[in-house]
Amino acid sequence: MALSCGSCTVGKATASLALKKDETLASAKSAVIMSPMPRVEKLSIAGKKTAAVAVSVRSQAVATATTKRGAEVEFESKVFTKEKINLAGREEYIVRGGRNLYPLLPEAFKGIKKIGVIGWGSQGPAQAQNIRDSLAEINSDITVSIGLRPNSSSAKDARRCGFTEEAGTLGDVTTVISESDLVILLISDAAQADNHEAILGAMKPGAVLGLSHGFLLGHLQSQGKSFRDDISVVAVCPKGMGPSVRRLYVQGKEVNGSGINASFAVHQDVDGRATDVALGWSVALGSPFTFATTLEDEYKSDIFGSEAFSWEPCTGWWSLCSGGTLRGA
């Protein structure tokens, strides 16, 4: 039976920089290099100096113009229909979602008997419940299980949402990972950095690692490492916080088209199933549109977007309002 958990809500305040329709970032033609030290600079928009923006980083990254985007990211699906659309002059390949596609999930998830969702933060509750409920609608025998650390305070909430030890849908992280054919890793960036060796080491050969953020790739690259070569690596990245992913999925049962769009990427495919597994995952989440990207592009654009155009401008605005002196002003 499909269950909904009203207690699974995580809030996060976000500040964003609004740009007018006809404004362009004249200086961002080829690359954005994020410095390891905070700095305050003038932002040039359409050739004009405007308010100063503070720029810092949580890790060093470079986003270049050579990264594949839009229709440049090619993919083929044996299960879902690919469609080319035009968005603001750029062609994109997308897959339309919808509850009418749920009967295709067993084919997309061919070879998968157990999906392990690791973590219970913002995305974990939403993704686990959405996938479980989508599979339940078609009476699939694929199991969705939650993996938590021992004595996790989140276990109580997971049980309230219908995941239990008795049913085999709630267990220890390592056990769930070792038993799962698709491991959806939704723990924090810091936890991924600290525990990736144990996580990857516990996975079955031929299993699929699913990410909703490309941070782990960037972390591995910074250490000269890579993913195991006997597992597939994909990403499905909903463009909204977990509570919205769940709320609009539930709303979509009554309002056609409700849901959160998502990007998807196939970073490593060991047996030819990765694309359809990723697309099936996105459809099961209730994504109305799923568009293609690369895992590297996802993490670089995410870091740049969150650091330069989310929290950090607040420092610049505050300095201006308080009459502070800005370097480079």
Side-chain angles (χ1 to χ4, degrees):
M1 182 177 68
L3 298 173
S4 177
C5 175
S7 65
C8 302
T9 303
V10 177
K12 180 179 179 181
T14 320
S16 61
L17 175 66
L19 299 179
K20 293 180 181 178
K21 249 184 187 179
D22 58 345
E23 290 174 335
T24 58
L25 295 176
S27 60
K29 291 181 180 178
S30 59
V32 175
I33 302 180
M34 306 182 77
S35 164
M37 293 297 292
R39 65 185 185 276
V40 180
E41 298 180 348
K42 289 261 187 172
L43 177 65
S44 179
I45 297 179
K48 296 182 179 180
K49 297 283 187 178
T50 71
V53 177
V55 181
S56 69
V57 288
R58 55 181 177 234
S59 62
Q60 195 167 23
V62 180
T64 70
T66 58
T67 302
K68 286 187 176 182
R69 302 184 188 279
E72 297 172 355
V73 184
E74 299 180 0
F75 69 94
E76 297 296 332
S77 173
K78 301 173 184 176
V79 179
F80 302 101
T81 301
K82 183 174 73 171
E83 178 182 347
K84 183 184 284 188
I85 63 174
N86 189 295
L87 295 173
R90 179 183 292 277
E91 291 185 327
E92 299 268 355
Y93 282 119
I94 60 105
V95 169
R96 294 181 187 269
R99 293 174 182 269
N100 60 302
L101 298 181
Y102 291 174
L104 298 178
L105 293 178
E107 186 178 356
F109 289 147
K110 187 176 180 180
I112 292 176
K113 294 297 183 182
K114 185 170 184 175
I115 299 173
V117 177
I118 311 303
W120 195 262
S122 174
Q123 289 289 333
Q127 294 204 30
Q129 290 182 93
N130 288 13
I131 297 170
R132 178 198 61 194
D133 293 356
S134 296
L135 292 170
E137 284 198 20
I138 57 171
N139 297 315
S140 171
D141 59 359
I142 298 175
T143 302
V144 178
S145 297
I146 306 299
L148 299 175
R149 65 182 184 276
N151 302 315
S152 170
S153 59
S154 299
K156 184 177 180 180
D157 283 340
R159 294 186 192 102
R160 189 179 297 117
C161 293
F163 300 96
T164 66
E165 294 89 344
E166 294 77 14
T169 56
L170 177 61
D172 174 75
V173 169
T174 304
T175 301
V176 172
I177 290 174
S178 65
E179 294 176 350
S180 297
D181 305 295
L182 168 59
V183 177
I184 300 178
L185 189 62
L186 300 178
I187 58 178
S188 69
D189 292 349
Q192 290 186 35
D194 290 342
N195 300 288
H196 69 273
E197 291 183 352
I199 291 168
L200 295 176
M203 292 182 64
K204 297 191 295 187
V208 182
L209 175 64
L211 305 168
S212 283
H213 174 32
F215 168 83
L216 185 54
L217 172 63
H219 178 71
L220 292 174
Q221 289 177 335
S222 72
Q223 296 189 332
K225 299 179 181 179
S226 59
F227 294 104
R228 277 174 46 184
D229 60 9
D230 62 344
I231 63 171
S232 294
V233 181
V234 303
V236 171
C237 310
K239 303 309 168 183
M241 296 294 288
S244 297
V245 173
R246 180 59 179 170
R247 184 177 66 253
L248 289 178
Y249 174 89
V250 173
Q251 186 182 61
K253 295 179 180 180
E254 306 296 334
V255 181
N256 186 37
S258 289
I260 293 287
N261 293 333
S263 60
F264 91 99
V266 175
H267 182 72
Q268 195 165 287
D269 187 356
V270 298
D271 56 14
R273 297 183 300 131
T275 295
D276 285 325
V277 168
L279 289 172
W281 172 13
S282 187
V283 168
L285 290 181
S287 305
F289 293 90
T290 303
F291 56 93
T293 186
T294 67
L295 193 57
E296 187 169 12
D297 188 30
E298 194 284 327
Y299 88 77
K300 288 180 177 179
S301 62
D302 183 77
I303 289 175
F304 172 68
S306 63
E307 293 292 335
F309 292 96
S310 181
W311 290 107
E312 299 307 335
C314 295
T315 304
W317 306 154
W318 178 255
S319 296
L320 286 175
C321 293
S322 62
T325 301
L326 304 177
R327 295 196 303 275

